[in-house]
Each structure stands twice: as C-alpha cells, then as structure tokens.
Amino acid sequence: MRTRPRPSASGFTRTATLALVALVATALVLVGPVRGAGEAAVRAAASAWKAAFADRPHPADAKRVLVVLSAPSLSDRVAARGTLPRPAVQRRWSGEAEAAQQLLLATLRERGVEIKREHSFTRTLNGFSALVDGRAVAELEQSSRVRGVYGVRVVYPASVASETLARPEFARGQGRRPEVSLPNLDGRGITIALLDTGVDLGHPYLGGRVHRGIDVVGGDALAVAEPKPDDPTSVESHGTRMAGIVAGAGGPAGLRGVAPGASILPIRVLGWQQTRERSFSLIGYGDQLLAGIERAVDPDGDGDVDDRARIALAPVVEPYASFADRPHPADAKRVLVVLSAPSLSDRVAARGALPSAKLQ
C-alpha cells in the first residue's frame, strides 16, 4: 500500500500562514469594510497571497504541434458513406468538424489553457496546428476529444543533384527525363494542384496555363514566386521548374512537360522562412503542407469539395522514415495525391536489378 510522505514543519507553517491569510480576507469581505480598513486589509491579504506564491514563470518550451480530433472530418464521413453527398451536406459536415474544434478550445479555455490555431483542417482530417507549451500538450493528450498530438516537421523542396542528371541513365531517350509522356494523352481538362514554392506566372514555357494561386505561407493573393527577403536577386524557382515539368510546352528543341494540356493551380506551401540561425531558407512545415492539401480539395474554401483539383502534386521531402508518429490524413475522396517518395519500380530502376523478395 502506497503511503503519502509526512509534510515537514516548514510545510505546516507555510500552509497555516496561507490559510490564515485566506480566512482573514474572506471574513473582511463578508463583514464589509469598517471605515476603509476592510478594503485595505483585503488588498494586504491579496498582496500576501501573491507574495507567498510569487509570479509563476511562463515556460519557454512552446512548440508547434498538430492536434487531431476524434470527431470525423469531411473525408472520414464521405469514406463511411461511400459516395460524395450534395454540396450542402458536405458544408454541414465541414462545419461540424469546425464546431468540434471550437468546443475543444472552449473546454481548454475553461481550464486556463488558451490555444490559438495556426492552421485548421476539416476536409482531409479534423484537426489544427498550434504553438503550445508543456501544460497544453498534457491537457490535449488527456482529452477524450483528441485522437493524437504530433510534432510539426520541416519539409524541403525535392531536388535532384546536377551530378545525378549527368549520369548515363539520365541521358535523352533513356526514359528517366521529364520529356516522358503518355501517347495521345496530354492532360487536357485536368487541373493539377502544385504544392510547392510560388510560380512565375509570366514564364513563357508555361504559356498561361497557371491559375491564380493560393499562398499558405505568406497569404499572397496570387502565390507568385517571391524574392529572398535579404537578397532580392534570389527568387523562388522550384515551383516554376516543377510546373514546367508537369505542364510546360514550347521549350528549346520542342521540350515539353508530361501533361502540356493540363492547367496548374499553384499552392505555396514552401517559401523563404527564417531559421534558428536567423537566415532565410526555402522551407515549409508539415502543417503548411496539410493546409495546402486542404485547399487542393477545396480551392474556394467554402466547405465542399466539388471544385477539387483532380491531382495534387507535392514535390517536397520530409524525413518521414524517422518519424512514425505523424498524422495520416484521409485521401480526400477522388483526388490523386502524388508525393516524392520513391516507388518499388523507382528503386529497382535505380538499383539496376531486382533485389530479393524480402527487400521488395
């Protein structure tokens, strides 16, 4: 049987002093001030109480997390139903996911935990990101309304080194360069959401096939390629290159993208963001990537996904293998999400031979 430790004499003295202060303050409030002495005594009691506890320090361990709720998202409900309902029903389901978040935040607020959301998700998953301290994390993990709390990871542009492209297997005609395409299919009529840096809307290689975009990082109305804050000559280019690989046309020697008939919806989830070293780098965060996927399935943000992009391309990398504890958003019904992780065939091609069945 576990027994409680006996309090020390100093502990008894401290407790008795605080109890006496509280008793005197309460008595004076109930009786009422006598010639102004009561009010002064209350103030003195309050000061004594505050001096006894002192100001609590604010912890400096705030960190950015993703909070996933137990209540279903729009995509969860669509998956359970098996078909996409009317837009009005979709908007109601998105609204109910938002209401579940508001209820959780209100409950935490009553317990003295104030959380301000960075990004909110209701379509692909039901959750939000926020900057929280240790106490908030503990309260969230204990809540029955929360399915999980995950750390926000950094994501980077997916790039291939020039040394790799110079290798013989990447020569023209070897099937490894972006000029690869499907016969008689050019992507006409398909909108591809590109989750990347901003895009140069006036680039001649893109020929006006880029829609007005969405900027998750900076809130710009167009999601254009932005210059580096401390070096205006350095402009984001990764998103423009990816847009060219996907839907470019009219390049040198007839170079074209995989689907030159498709149109691009740029969603800026990577951008010039300040690092711990106070320098600017092209990076993004996991919650910004998820926010980009939310907008890919609901570009106008009205709560239904009837205007969703058919394909969401995210040419970014994150050390996924190192972090098993990450949220898995639902597949946003009828949207093909393409990431940069290699498939089995990609790895076999890179190896040049089929490995053992265990490795496959």
Side-chain angles (χ1 to χ4, degrees):
M1 180 176 177
R2 187 177 180 181
T3 58
R4 296 181 180 178
R6 296 180 62 185
S8 63
S10 60
F12 274 124
T13 302
R14 180 183 178 87
T15 303
T17 301
L18 295 176
L20 180 60
V21 169
L23 182 61
V24 170
T26 303
L28 289 171
V29 169
L30 292 176
V31 172
V34 179
R35 296 181 184 177
E39 185 179 350
V42 170
R43 285 200 300 268
S47 298
W49 182 273
K50 186 174 181 180
F53 279 106
D55 289 331
R56 292 185 178 181
H58 295 286
D61 63 337
K63 61 180 180 179
R64 204 169 178 179
V65 298
L66 288 165
V67 181
V68 180
L69 275 67
S70 302
S73 65
L74 167 62
S75 189
D76 292 330
R77 293 196 168 194
V78 171
R81 178 189 176 107
T83 59
L84 201 62
R86 301 187 315 275
V89 176
Q90 296 177 50
R91 288 192 290 271
R92 175 165 59 82
W93 287 349
S94 295
E96 289 174 358
E98 168 66 18
Q101 294 182 32
Q102 294 289 356
L103 180 59
L104 171 64
L105 295 173
T107 302
L108 292 172
R109 199 176 300 118
E110 290 178 354
R111 296 179 60 83
V113 177
E114 189 73 37
I115 294 180
K116 181 180 179 181
R117 296 179 295 178
E118 295 277 338
H119 296 283
S120 176
F121 321 108
T122 60
R123 285 77 161 175
T124 56
L125 58 83
N126 185 4
F128 58 86
S129 64
L131 206 63
V132 297
D133 60 21
R135 184 195 170 191
V137 170
E139 291 282 354
L140 288 165
E141 289 178 339
Q142 293 172 9
S143 173
S144 61
R145 295 188 174 92
V146 174
R147 181 181 298 173
V149 180
Y150 308 88
V152 171
R153 313 300 182 188
V154 179
V155 296
Y156 308 90
S159 300
V160 178
S162 57
E163 293 81 4
T164 301
L165 293 176
R167 287 161 47 183
E169 58 266 33
F170 282 89
R172 293 182 69 90
Q174 297 302 309
R176 300 293 298 276
R177 281 188 171 269
E179 65 259 29
V180 173
S181 60
L182 298 176
N184 303 317
L185 295 174
D186 66 357
R188 193 172 305 278
I190 301 297
T191 297
I192 300 172
L194 177 63
L195 283 65
D196 206 304
T197 67
V199 174
D200 181 359
L201 303 182
H203 197 288
Y205 188 46
L206 298 176
R209 288 181 293 279
V210 182
H211 294 300
R212 183 187 184 96
I214 299 164
D215 189 347
V216 173
V217 176
D220 179 75
L222 298 176
V224 298
E226 297 285 348
K228 192 174 183 180
D230 55 1
D231 180 12
T233 62
S234 182
V235 181
E236 297 170 1
S237 60
H238 193 266
T240 303
R241 294 201 303 270
M242 294 300 106
I245 290 173
V246 173
L255 190 64
R256 48 168 267 179
V258 176
S263 58
I264 299 292
L265 171 65
I267 301 179
R268 187 169 177 256
V269 298
L270 301 175
W272 299 111
Q273 303 194 64
Q274 203 166 33
T275 65
R276 291 179 182 175
E277 293 76 24
R278 301 296 182 186
S279 60
F280 288 93
S281 297
L282 274 180
I283 59 174
Y285 295 93
D287 58 336
Q288 293 172 334
L289 176 59
L290 289 174
I293 296 175
E294 283 273 303
R295 295 307 301 271
V297 302
D298 184 14
D300 64 4
D302 68 350
D304 71 69
V305 298
D306 282 10
D307 58 337
R308 64 194 177 279
R310 295 286 296 277
I311 298 172
L313 174 63
V316 302
V317 291
E318 176 189 358
Y320 289 114
S322 301
F323 305 111
D325 59 332
R326 61 186 177 95
H328 297 270
D331 61 2
K333 240 26 189 173
R334 298 182 178 84
V335 175
L336 173 64
V337 180
V338 183
L339 298 171
S340 300
S343 65
L344 170 62
S345 62
D346 292 330
R347 294 195 171 192
V348 170
R351 180 189 176 101
L354 197 64
S356 64
K358 184 176 180 180
L359 288 178
Q360 297 177 52

